[in-house]
Amino acid sequence: MRPSKRKPDELRRVSIERAVSKHAEGSCLIKFGDTHVLCTASLEERLPQWLKGQGRGWVTAEYAMLPRSTHERTRREVTSGHPSGRTQEIQRLVGRALRAVVDLNKLGERQITVDCDVIQADGGTRTASITGAWVALHDCIQWMKMRDMVKENVLRDHVAAVSCGLYKGEPVLDLDYAEDSNADADSNFVMTGTGGIVEIQGTAETTPFSEERFTELMHLAKKGIGELVQLQKLTVA
């Protein structure tokens, strides 16, 4: 039995609320159970120096956890002078996931920065960030379309992410903190709406797991991401 009493292939309750920021071109508040992430997409008329003059745009991301998003207060990374390795890893992952479904040539010489700020953490903050970031990015691009800044098909597909792992030897979908902190193996899957694989991160926490077990986790991930993509579609419809 899972601590949350969920079935092995059952997601936590997921909700997405759009347009939660007055100033951002696109925004949403996404909740994966007790993990809550604010995602905002900001359009900027600037580019990294190495991209200037190439006629294409860029999509990037930043990620942060608020000091009291966890059981005990964590120090703001800005006070230490630099982001942690974990923070850099996650924000690069979010950026890669979003760029996988954006036609950068159709974006023009502009940059969209998606900020993912964890308000409350209970496992799966990176997967919630990616899933919510797509909605914020979608609304930012819609904002641009309404002003004739871009044409159609800038956003080529959906992208979402979910965690899967082995908990007490059994494959389970969408780990919360109670499971994640005691998992035999933990994996994060990032996939598009059409089933394309963007990235897979997998780690054995105790003993190595078999290819058969990995295949089971992959099947769970495809099911979960399919449900998340459907929620994205309903949210932006």
Side-chain angles (χ1 to χ4, degrees), residues 144-160:
M144 296 170 71
K145 284 181 182 178
M146 291 174 63
R147 290 157 179 80
D148 295 321
M149 299 172 70
V150 294
K151 304 298 183 183
E152 297 295 325
N153 303 320
V154 177
L155 198 54
R156 299 179 296 196
D157 202 348
H158 290 252
V159 69

Side-chain angles (χ1 to χ4, degrees), residues 16 28 30 32 37 39 61-63 89-101 114-116 118 124-138 158-162 188-192 198-199 201 225 228 232:
I16 305 174
C28 78
I30 186 166
F32 271 46
V37 184
C39 303
E62 293 189 10
Y63 167 95
E89 176 210 347
I90 293 175
Q91 59 192 27
R92 288 169 181 165
L93 172 64
V94 178
R96 288 193 300 271
L98 298 176
R99 289 193 296 273
V101 295
V114 182
D115 290 286
C116 300
V118 179
T125 61
R126 74 187 66 195
T127 55
S129 293
I130 291 168
T131 305
W134 183 91
V135 175
L137 177 64
H138 169 277
H158 290 252
V159 69
V162 75
N188 296 301
F189 294 81
V190 186
M191 301 177 69
T192 66
V198 177
E199 191 153 340
Q201 303 173 328
I225 287 175
L228 292 171
Q232 288 176 336

Side-chain angles (χ1 to χ4, degrees), residues 28-126:
C28 78
L29 175 63
I30 186 166
K31 298 180 180 181
F32 271 46
D34 287 333
T35 289
H36 303 171
V37 184
L38 173 65
C39 303
T40 56
S42 302
L43 175 64
E44 301 172 280
E45 293 290 341
R46 65 181 182 88
L47 280 174
Q49 191 65 34
W50 56 272
L51 258 182
K52 289 185 177 179
Q54 296 185 30
R56 60 192 179 102
W58 191 244
V59 176
T60 188
E62 293 189 10
Y63 167 95
M65 294 181 67
L66 297 186
R68 204 54 208 271
S69 60
T70 52
H71 295 327
E72 296 181 356
R73 186 185 188 276
T74 55
R75 186 182 181 193
R76 292 184 189 272
E77 293 184 349
V78 67
T79 61
S80 65
H82 59 84
S84 68
R86 177 182 180 275
T87 293
Q88 293 184 65
E89 176 210 347
I90 293 175
Q91 59 192 27
R92 288 169 181 165
L93 172 64
V94 178
R96 288 193 300 271
L98 298 176
R99 289 193 296 273
V101 295
V102 174
D103 189 328
L104 297 175
N105 291 312
K106 292 182 179 178
L107 188 60
E109 292 200 358
R110 306 178 182 94
Q111 175 169 290
I112 298 175
T113 300
V114 182
D115 290 286
C116 300
D117 292 291
V118 179
I119 299 171
Q120 183 171 281
D122 186 39
T125 61
R126 74 187 66 195

